[in-house]
Amino acid sequence: MSTRRLTVAQALISFLSRQYTERDGHKQRLINATWGIFGHGNVAGIGQALVESASEMRYLQGRNEQAMVHAAVGYARQSNRLSAHAVTTSIGPGATNLVTGAALATINRLPVLLLPGDTFATRPADPVLQQLELPSAGDITVNDALRPVSTYFDRVTRPEALIPAALAAMRVLSDPAETGAVTLALPQDVQVEAYDWPEEFFSERVWRVRRQAPDPDELAEAVRLVREARRPLLVAGGGVHHSAAEDVLATFAEATGIPVATTQAGKGSLPYDHPCEVGGIGHTGTATANELARTADLLIGVGTRWSDFSTASGTLFTNPAVHFLNLNVTGFDAHKLAADPLVADARTALQLLAAGLVGHRVAPAYATEYTEDKERWEYRVAAAFTADEDLVRPTQAQVLGAFDALVSDEDIVINAAGSLPGDLHKLWRARSRDQYHVEYGYSCMGYEIPAAIGVQLAAPGRPVWALVGDGTYLMNPTEIVTAVQERLPLKVVILQNHGYASIGGLSETVGAERFGTAYRFRASDGTYTGAPLPVDLAANAASLGLRVIRAKTVRDLREALAEARAADVPTCVYVETETADTVSGVPPAQAWWDVPVAETATRPSAVKAREQYDRHVAARRRQL
């Protein structure tokens, strides 16, 4: 048997450079680049291997370990989960900084390969720098914190153990039902150990991404359920995008007339002006979609995991006769809400379901009802977007209105946390399948800027926008430096409202009186009710290398956005909006969300909030 003598790290990078995925005849690299921040634990292993393999594996330099994972996740999502990035870190804090990003990837079912350094397998010195010591267990390191947030975890303590571990990692990363964060913990002494590797290990390997067909009996039952329904509503989740099923969904909706609502991850499954598209569903959804959900007798979930935001914490689906049909590539999600499952790839299942429904269409009155209701909602969107050109400090919705008037179907809009996801889900007019990129599975502050880098790497030549509030910006601005270094012309829009607008509003509704949610000086009574802090985020962004355009009025904003869109260097548009404790102008929540309120309290605001909470909880229904 022919062999090649390499270190473990060299062998791993060589192996990764020869892994591919293929779906529908299209082939691409599975691991297209490796992000890294080096320290003891990976500098002499993976770091040295990347130097030797520079022509085979692109290296990307990050500034924060969590941000590197976010960038990799953004890349994977934009690549339809068919291509991914690896992330390498040192041991200790470098490794534990991966945990948040790993949780985000796994919750959102997005592939990323994590390669944290680990403490010595041979234990020549014990403990070493940054080693976790537990008196009860000698084989646990800080990397074990990654186990619950990884869909696959292994620690490679011997060179020959890399072979099965690497193959298992690729299998999980490329499996549409199992993918997420995959962790291979690499002890620093093992990384540099040489071994005679079989040449077959480095052969080009293609991982075919399956399009699972449904069980015939499940399909027949699904056809029956749809044919018998009088008020069906289809809810499109992120699985529609991952499966590239948008065109099939459009054909299905047009043939049957069934309205289509979308989760945060599914928004854009149909363009906003498609006759059957009725907007976002759930707590951050539209009045149109939520009223249809309340009266629906059949909910058809396609590629959704039915989070509490989508179900309004179990209070949205109030029709006593409601039933659920879930098309999902995982049985785990397909069985949620006591649904009839259709376990299959979304594209494949929709095609076969449509074939079984030839000639079937919802009643004309139902189609007229949701069409007219959608038109009424669009008037509310237009009203929220409208602003006088000379207005200073526009509302957040008016900023989105100026932005909406500029973009085309080429633009990609990225957001994750704060009040923006709710406003976007309600108001944004998605023009293409991948324009709307809101991470709401984990809703992680600090995701936007690094994710925009990953998206820009996956979609070069397209305008990529990171929309961030001041709270999110302060969490994680470091990867601006990476965008500058890589000459990526992403666009960052900073909305300065001097606080946590979303949590401030939530705090008020649950009786916490906006405590700790504003960026203000401490007043004499100990509260933070003084003047806004003199923090200049635009100057900060400029200091990190961004070209910054300050906008004062709505007219300035329109001009700044157009200038940023045309720029070929990383550019920031900075605008001050209404403060976080003022009305945003966006229609209020169209459905409830369960945030428990203090059962006993002395302050009247909390007592009143608990009374309202009890009324909502009484409406909760478990689907059995």
Side-chain angles (χ1 to χ4, degrees), residues 19 55-56 77 110 120 126 128 150 207 212 264 284 312 333 376 397 399 402 476 496 592 595 620:
Q19 305 303 302
S55 62
E56 298 178 325
R77 174 167 167 172
L110 292 166
F120 285 87
D126 193 27
V128 297
S150 299
W207 301 84
Q212 182 178 346
Q264 285 278 14
T284 55
D333 288 321
R376 287 189 288 272
V399 172
N476 197 5
Q496 169 66 281
W592 185 60
V595 177
R620 193 197 318 274

PDB file of all heavy atoms in Angstrom, residues 19 55-56 77 110 120 126 128 150 207 212 264 284 312 333 376 397 399 402 476 496 592 595 620:
ATOM      1  N   GLN A  19     -12.330  17.285  -0.645  1.00  0.00           N
ATOM      2  CA  GLN A  19     -13.701  16.865  -0.360  1.00  0.00           C
ATOM      3  C   GLN A  19     -14.678  17.749  -1.140  1.00  0.00           C
ATOM      4  O   GLN A  19     -14.536  18.970  -1.167  1.00  0.00           O
ATOM      5  CB  GLN A  19     -13.998  16.970   1.139  1.00  0.00           C
ATOM      6  CG  GLN A  19     -13.016  16.220   2.012  1.00  0.00           C
ATOM      7  CD  GLN A  19     -12.913  14.748   1.668  1.00  0.00           C
ATOM      8  OE1 GLN A  19     -13.908  14.017   1.705  1.00  0.00           O
ATOM      9  NE2 GLN A  19     -11.703  14.296   1.353  1.00  0.00           N
ATOM     10  N   SER A  55      -1.679  26.707  -1.531  1.00  0.00           N
ATOM     11  CA  SER A  55      -2.256  26.605  -2.879  1.00  0.00           C
ATOM     12  C   SER A  55      -3.505  25.738  -2.901  1.00  0.00           C
ATOM     13  O   SER A  55      -4.271  25.786  -3.871  1.00  0.00           O
ATOM     14  CB  SER A  55      -1.216  26.038  -3.854  1.00  0.00           C
ATOM     15  OG  SER A  55      -0.839  24.715  -3.465  1.00  0.00           O
ATOM     16  N   GLU A  56      -3.729  24.954  -1.863  1.00  0.00           N
ATOM     17  CA  GLU A  56      -4.879  24.048  -1.821  1.00  0.00           C
ATOM     18  C   GLU A  56      -6.006  24.545  -0.928  1.00  0.00           C
ATOM     19  O   GLU A  56      -7.175  24.226  -1.146  1.00  0.00           O
ATOM     20  CB  GLU A  56      -4.434  22.669  -1.309  1.00  0.00           C
ATOM     21  CG  GLU A  56      -3.421  21.969  -2.189  1.00  0.00           C
ATOM     22  CD  GLU A  56      -2.994  20.646  -1.587  1.00  0.00           C
ATOM     23  OE1 GLU A  56      -2.894  20.549  -0.336  1.00  0.00           O
ATOM     24  OE2 GLU A  56      -2.784  19.693  -2.352  1.00  0.00           O
ATOM     25  N   ARG A  77     -24.791  29.370   4.560  1.00  0.00           N
ATOM     26  CA  ARG A  77     -26.192  29.644   4.221  1.00  0.00           C
ATOM     27  C   ARG A  77     -26.313  30.174   2.800  1.00  0.00           C
ATOM     28  O   ARG A  77     -27.194  29.742   2.042  1.00  0.00           O
ATOM     29  CB  ARG A  77     -26.785  30.643   5.218  1.00  0.00           C
ATOM     30  CG  ARG A  77     -28.195  31.082   4.858  1.00  0.00           C
ATOM     31  CD  ARG A  77     -28.880  31.806   5.988  1.00  0.00           C
ATOM     32  NE  ARG A  77     -30.094  32.469   5.543  1.00  0.00           N
ATOM     33  CZ  ARG A  77     -30.967  33.054   6.347  1.00  0.00           C
ATOM     34  NH1 ARG A  77     -30.746  33.069   7.646  1.00  0.00           N
ATOM     35  NH2 ARG A  77     -32.040  33.642   5.859  1.00  0.00           N
ATOM     36  N   LEU A 110     -26.921  24.631   9.924  1.00  0.00           N
ATOM     37  CA  LEU A 110     -25.964  25.117   8.933  1.00  0.00           C
ATOM     38  C   LEU A 110     -24.585  24.539   9.223  1.00  0.00           C
ATOM     39  O   LEU A 110     -24.137  24.525  10.372  1.00  0.00           O
ATOM     40  CB  LEU A 110     -25.913  26.647   8.946  1.00  0.00           C
ATOM     41  CG  LEU A 110     -27.200  27.325   8.446  1.00  0.00           C
ATOM     42  CD1 LEU A 110     -27.202  28.802   8.795  1.00  0.00           C
ATOM     43  CD2 LEU A 110     -27.370  27.119   6.945  1.00  0.00           C
ATOM     44  N   PHE A 120      -2.507  18.651  25.698  1.00  0.00           N
ATOM     45  CA  PHE A 120      -1.681  17.510  25.313  1.00  0.00           C
ATOM     46  C   PHE A 120      -2.381  16.178  25.558  1.00  0.00           C
ATOM     47  O   PHE A 120      -2.918  15.944  26.653  1.00  0.00           O
ATOM     48  CB  PHE A 120      -0.376  17.511  26.116  1.00  0.00           C
ATOM     49  CG  PHE A 120       0.625  18.544  25.685  1.00  0.00           C
ATOM     50  CD1 PHE A 120       0.579  19.827  26.220  1.00  0.00           C
ATOM     51  CD2 PHE A 120       1.605  18.238  24.771  1.00  0.00           C
ATOM     52  CE1 PHE A 120       1.505  20.781  25.853  1.00  0.00           C
ATOM     53  CE2 PHE A 120       2.538  19.192  24.391  1.00  0.00           C
ATOM     54  CZ  PHE A 120       2.485  20.470  24.919  1.00  0.00           C
ATOM     55  N   ASP A 126       1.446  18.659  33.319  1.00  0.00           N
ATOM     56  CA  ASP A 126       0.033  18.630  33.698  1.00  0.00           C
ATOM     57  C   ASP A 126      -0.176  19.436  34.976  1.00  0.00           C
ATOM     58  O   ASP A 126       0.342  19.048  36.022  1.00  0.00           O
ATOM     59  CB  ASP A 126      -0.401  17.167  33.902  1.00  0.00           C
ATOM     60  CG  ASP A 126      -1.899  17.004  33.998  1.00  0.00           C
ATOM     61  OD1 ASP A 126      -2.613  17.850  33.411  1.00  0.00           O
ATOM     62  OD2 ASP A 126      -2.352  16.046  34.641  1.00  0.00           O
ATOM     63  N   VAL A 128      -1.098  22.225  31.658  1.00  0.00           N
ATOM     64  CA  VAL A 128      -0.445  23.181  30.770  1.00  0.00           C
ATOM     65  C   VAL A 128      -1.238  24.482  30.800  1.00  0.00           C
ATOM     66  O   VAL A 128      -2.335  24.559  31.362  1.00  0.00           O
ATOM     67  CB  VAL A 128      -0.356  22.645  29.329  1.00  0.00           C
ATOM     68  CG1 VAL A 128       0.498  21.402  29.282  1.00  0.00           C
ATOM     69  CG2 VAL A 128      -1.739  22.368  28.759  1.00  0.00           C
ATOM     70  N   SER A 150     -22.720  20.749  19.175  1.00  0.00           N
ATOM     71  CA  SER A 150     -22.198  20.163  17.934  1.00  0.00           C
ATOM     72  C   SER A 150     -23.065  18.980  17.525  1.00  0.00           C
ATOM     73  O   SER A 150     -23.491  18.194  18.372  1.00  0.00           O
ATOM     74  CB  SER A 150     -20.748  19.681  18.134  1.00  0.00           C
ATOM     75  OG  SER A 150     -19.884  20.743  18.478  1.00  0.00           O
ATOM     76  N   TRP A 207     -19.305  13.791  -1.834  1.00  0.00           N
ATOM     77  CA  TRP A 207     -20.407  13.483  -0.926  1.00  0.00           C
ATOM     78  C   TRP A 207     -21.692  13.958  -1.586  1.00  0.00           C
ATOM     79  O   TRP A 207     -21.930  15.163  -1.711  1.00  0.00           O
ATOM     80  CB  TRP A 207     -20.195  14.180   0.420  1.00  0.00           C
ATOM     81  CG  TRP A 207     -18.909  13.760   1.076  1.00  0.00           C
ATOM     82  CD1 TRP A 207     -17.661  14.281   0.847  1.00  0.00           C
ATOM     83  CD2 TRP A 207     -18.738  12.709   2.022  1.00  0.00           C
ATOM     84  NE1 TRP A 207     -16.724  13.629   1.617  1.00  0.00           N
ATOM     85  CE2 TRP A 207     -17.349  12.662   2.348  1.00  0.00           C
ATOM     86  CE3 TRP A 207     -19.610  11.820   2.652  1.00  0.00           C
ATOM     87  CZ2 TRP A 207     -16.836  11.749   3.271  1.00  0.00           C
ATOM     88  CZ3 TRP A 207     -19.085  10.914   3.566  1.00  0.00           C
ATOM     89  CH2 TRP A 207     -17.725  10.868   3.860  1.00  0.00           C
ATOM     90  N   GLN A 212     -34.136  13.113  -0.625  1.00  0.00           N
ATOM     91  CA  GLN A 212     -34.918  11.986  -0.119  1.00  0.00           C
ATOM     92  C   GLN A 212     -36.359  12.066  -0.595  1.00  0.00           C
ATOM     93  O   GLN A 212     -37.021  13.094  -0.456  1.00  0.00           O
ATOM     94  CB  GLN A 212     -34.880  11.975   1.408  1.00  0.00           C
ATOM     95  CG  GLN A 212     -35.617  10.821   2.051  1.00  0.00           C
ATOM     96  CD  GLN A 212     -35.490  10.842   3.556  1.00  0.00           C
ATOM     97  OE1 GLN A 212     -34.650  11.553   4.095  1.00  0.00           O
ATOM     98  NE2 GLN A 212     -36.319  10.069   4.236  1.00  0.00           N
ATOM     99  N   GLN A 264     -39.066  33.484   9.641  1.00  0.00           N
ATOM    100  CA  GLN A 264     -37.911  34.348   9.400  1.00  0.00           C
ATOM    101  C   GLN A 264     -36.934  33.685   8.425  1.00  0.00           C
ATOM    102  O   GLN A 264     -36.446  34.325   7.489  1.00  0.00           O
ATOM    103  CB  GLN A 264     -37.193  34.655  10.723  1.00  0.00           C
ATOM    104  CG  GLN A 264     -37.891  35.654  11.621  1.00  0.00           C
ATOM    105  CD  GLN A 264     -37.620  37.096  11.224  1.00  0.00           C
ATOM    106  OE1 GLN A 264     -37.120  37.371  10.138  1.00  0.00           O
ATOM    107  NE2 GLN A 264     -37.970  38.023  12.095  1.00  0.00           N
ATOM    108  N   THR A 284     -43.811  38.097  14.954  1.00  0.00           N
ATOM    109  CA  THR A 284     -43.278  39.184  14.135  1.00  0.00           C
ATOM    110  C   THR A 284     -43.903  39.204  12.744  1.00  0.00           C
ATOM    111  O   THR A 284     -43.388  39.856  11.842  1.00  0.00           O
ATOM    112  CB  THR A 284     -41.746  39.063  14.001  1.00  0.00           C
ATOM    113  OG1 THR A 284     -41.426  37.759  13.492  1.00  0.00           O
ATOM    114  CG2 THR A 284     -41.063  39.251  15.347  1.00  0.00           C
ATOM    115  N   ALA A 312     -46.590  31.634  17.782  1.00  0.00           N
ATOM    116  CA  ALA A 312     -47.054  32.550  18.826  1.00  0.00           C
ATOM    117  C   ALA A 312     -47.166  31.818  20.156  1.00  0.00           C
ATOM    118  O   ALA A 312     -48.151  31.913  20.880  1.00  0.00           O
ATOM    119  CB  ALA A 312     -48.372  33.206  18.445  1.00  0.00           C
ATOM    120  N   ASP A 333     -38.328  17.059  13.081  1.00  0.00           N
ATOM    121  CA  ASP A 333     -39.145  18.247  12.831  1.00  0.00           C
ATOM    122  C   ASP A 333     -40.480  17.895  12.182  1.00  0.00           C
ATOM    123  O   ASP A 333     -41.475  18.588  12.397  1.00  0.00           O
ATOM    124  CB  ASP A 333     -38.387  19.221  11.934  1.00  0.00           C
ATOM    125  CG  ASP A 333     -37.243  19.900  12.654  1.00  0.00           C
ATOM    126  OD1 ASP A 333     -37.412  20.244  13.836  1.00  0.00           O
ATOM    127  OD2 ASP A 333     -36.177  20.096  12.049  1.00  0.00           O
ATOM    128  N   ARG A 376     -54.538  45.321   1.931  1.00  0.00           N
ATOM    129  CA  ARG A 376     -54.707  46.210   3.070  1.00  0.00           C
ATOM    130  C   ARG A 376     -53.426  46.298   3.893  1.00  0.00           C
ATOM    131  O   ARG A 376     -53.058  47.359   4.398  1.00  0.00           O
ATOM    132  CB  ARG A 376     -55.884  45.749   3.943  1.00  0.00           C
ATOM    133  CG  ARG A 376     -57.253  46.026   3.318  1.00  0.00           C
ATOM    134  CD  ARG A 376     -58.375  45.756   4.304  1.00  0.00           C
ATOM    135  NE  ARG A 376     -58.566  44.333   4.550  1.00  0.00           N
ATOM    136  CZ  ARG A 376     -59.364  43.556   3.818  1.00  0.00           C
ATOM    137  NH1 ARG A 376     -60.047  44.070   2.796  1.00  0.00           N
ATOM    138  NH2 ARG A 376     -59.497  42.268   4.100  1.00  0.00           N
ATOM    139  N   ALA A 397     -38.448  52.209  10.780  1.00  0.00           N
ATOM    140  CA  ALA A 397     -39.241  51.815   9.617  1.00  0.00           C
ATOM    141  C   ALA A 397     -39.003  52.756   8.447  1.00  0.00           C
ATOM    142  O   ALA A 397     -38.957  52.323   7.285  1.00  0.00           O
ATOM    143  CB  ALA A 397     -40.722  51.772   9.977  1.00  0.00           C
ATOM    144  N   VAL A 399     -36.250  54.374   7.858  1.00  0.00           N
ATOM    145  CA  VAL A 399     -34.934  54.005   7.322  1.00  0.00           C
ATOM    146  C   VAL A 399     -35.084  52.819   6.376  1.00  0.00           C
ATOM    147  O   VAL A 399     -34.521  52.798   5.276  1.00  0.00           O
ATOM    148  CB  VAL A 399     -33.953  53.673   8.456  1.00  0.00           C
ATOM    149  CG1 VAL A 399     -32.650  53.102   7.890  1.00  0.00           C
ATOM    150  CG2 VAL A 399     -33.666  54.909   9.293  1.00  0.00           C
ATOM    151  N   ALA A 402     -36.464  53.935   3.019  1.00  0.00           N
ATOM    152  CA  ALA A 402     -35.459  54.500   2.122  1.00  0.00           C
ATOM    153  C   ALA A 402     -34.600  53.400   1.508  1.00  0.00           C
ATOM    154  O   ALA A 402     -34.237  53.449   0.321  1.00  0.00           O
ATOM    155  CB  ALA A 402     -34.587  55.493   2.887  1.00  0.00           C
ATOM    156  N   ASN A 476     -19.806  43.330  18.508  1.00  0.00           N
ATOM    157  CA  ASN A 476     -18.839  42.612  17.681  1.00  0.00           C
ATOM    158  C   ASN A 476     -18.485  43.377  16.404  1.00  0.00           C
ATOM    159  O   ASN A 476     -18.832  42.946  15.304  1.00  0.00           O
ATOM    160  CB  ASN A 476     -19.413  41.234  17.319  1.00  0.00           C
ATOM    161  CG  ASN A 476     -18.348  40.264  16.836  1.00  0.00           C
ATOM    162  OD1 ASN A 476     -17.170  40.577  16.857  1.00  0.00           O
ATOM    163  ND2 ASN A 476     -18.768  39.098  16.405  1.00  0.00           N
ATOM    164  N   GLN A 496     -28.306  54.218  15.002  1.00  0.00           N
ATOM    165  CA  GLN A 496     -28.001  54.622  16.381  1.00  0.00           C
ATOM    166  C   GLN A 496     -29.286  55.116  17.053  1.00  0.00           C
ATOM    167  O   GLN A 496     -29.825  56.153  16.706  1.00  0.00           O
ATOM    168  CB  GLN A 496     -26.952  55.735  16.348  1.00  0.00           C
ATOM    169  CG  GLN A 496     -26.705  56.446  17.671  1.00  0.00           C
ATOM    170  CD  GLN A 496     -26.088  55.559  18.735  1.00  0.00           C
ATOM    171  OE1 GLN A 496     -26.785  54.768  19.362  1.00  0.00           O
ATOM    172  NE2 GLN A 496     -24.788  55.692  18.931  1.00  0.00           N
ATOM    173  N   TRP A 592     -49.065  36.872  19.927  1.00  0.00           N
ATOM    174  CA  TRP A 592     -48.404  36.906  21.228  1.00  0.00           C
ATOM    175  C   TRP A 592     -47.088  36.149  21.203  1.00  0.00           C
ATOM    176  O   TRP A 592     -46.815  35.339  20.315  1.00  0.00           O
ATOM    177  CB  TRP A 592     -49.352  36.276  22.253  1.00  0.00           C
ATOM    178  CG  TRP A 592     -48.903  36.328  23.680  1.00  0.00           C
ATOM    179  CD1 TRP A 592     -48.638  37.446  24.420  1.00  0.00           C
ATOM    180  CD2 TRP A 592     -48.683  35.210  24.546  1.00  0.00           C
ATOM    181  NE1 TRP A 592     -48.275  37.095  25.712  1.00  0.00           N
ATOM    182  CE2 TRP A 592     -48.291  35.724  25.809  1.00  0.00           C
ATOM    183  CE3 TRP A 592     -48.790  33.827  24.385  1.00  0.00           C
ATOM    184  CZ2 TRP A 592     -47.998  34.903  26.901  1.00  0.00           C
ATOM    185  CZ3 TRP A 592     -48.500  33.010  25.464  1.00  0.00           C
ATOM    186  CH2 TRP A 592     -48.108  33.537  26.699  1.00  0.00           C
ATOM    187  N   VAL A 595     -43.262  35.386  27.255  1.00  0.00           N
ATOM    188  CA  VAL A 595     -42.143  35.749  28.130  1.00  0.00           C
ATOM    189  C   VAL A 595     -42.723  35.835  29.534  1.00  0.00           C
ATOM    190  O   VAL A 595     -43.474  36.762  29.841  1.00  0.00           O
ATOM    191  CB  VAL A 595     -41.509  37.091  27.725  1.00  0.00           C
ATOM    192  CG1 VAL A 595     -40.402  37.474  28.714  1.00  0.00           C
ATOM    193  CG2 VAL A 595     -40.948  37.005  26.317  1.00  0.00           C
ATOM    194  N   ARG A 620     -53.385  29.252  25.266  1.00  0.00           N
ATOM    195  CA  ARG A 620     -52.428  28.312  24.690  1.00  0.00           C
ATOM    196  C   ARG A 620     -53.072  26.954  24.463  1.00  0.00           C
ATOM    197  O   ARG A 620     -53.888  26.489  25.250  1.00  0.00           O
ATOM    198  CB  ARG A 620     -51.222  28.154  25.619  1.00  0.00           C
ATOM    199  CG  ARG A 620     -50.052  27.443  24.913  1.00  0.00           C
ATOM    200  CD  ARG A 620     -49.006  26.888  25.846  1.00  0.00           C
ATOM    201  NE  ARG A 620     -48.644  27.739  26.939  1.00  0.00           N
ATOM    202  CZ  ARG A 620     -47.714  28.702  26.896  1.00  0.00           C
ATOM    203  NH1 ARG A 620     -47.075  28.942  25.769  1.00  0.00           N
ATOM    204  NH2 ARG A 620     -47.438  29.415  27.971  1.00  0.00           N
TER     205      ARG A 620
END
